Amino acid sequence: LYFVTLCTYGKVCLFGNLRETNPYRVIAEKGIGKIPEHYSGVVVDKMVVMPNHIHLLIQIHGIYCRTLLQNLDLLLNFD
């Protein structure tokens, strides 16, 4: 089980507060939801999107952790 924190560039509050729907928050949540589609050995147990960072609890089975972490930002920048 890994605890991962991703911060926005410059710690800018892109995701809004926890009670409002924000387009950047929606994009981040969708991207995180697609992680298991790209990495069959990864399970996202919990996710919290904060105003300027994201917390993830993930399980990794059968792939290299380094590969996932290097590509995680690519998954969050999809169209």
Side-chain angles (χ1 to χ4, degrees):
L1 186 65
Y2 294 90
F3 180 78
V4 179
T5 299
L6 304 167
C7 296
T8 60
Y9 181 77
K11 298 185 181 176
V12 176
C13 294
L14 291 177
F15 303 122
N17 67 44
L18 297 176
R19 293 191 176 108
E20 72 182 29
T21 301
N22 175 297
Y24 296 112
R25 177 182 295 274
V26 172
I27 290 169
E29 290 171 347
K30 284 182 181 179
I32 292 165
K34 290 184 175 276
I35 290 172
E37 294 176 23
H38 294 277
Y39 298 96
S40 60
V42 176
V43 176
V44 179
D45 285 330
K46 298 288 180 185
M47 163 185 60
V48 178
V49 180
M50 304 298 288
N52 66 352
H53 63 283
I54 300 169
H55 295 295
L56 301 172
L57 283 177
I58 59 174
Q59 294 181 42
I60 302 174
H61 306 280
I63 67 167
Y64 294 107
C65 179
R66 184 175 181 174
T67 301
L68 172 67
L69 296 177
Q70 287 175 341
N71 293 312
L72 193 55
D73 63 323
L74 297 176
L75 293 175
L76 296 175
N77 293 314
F78 71 100
D79 290 327

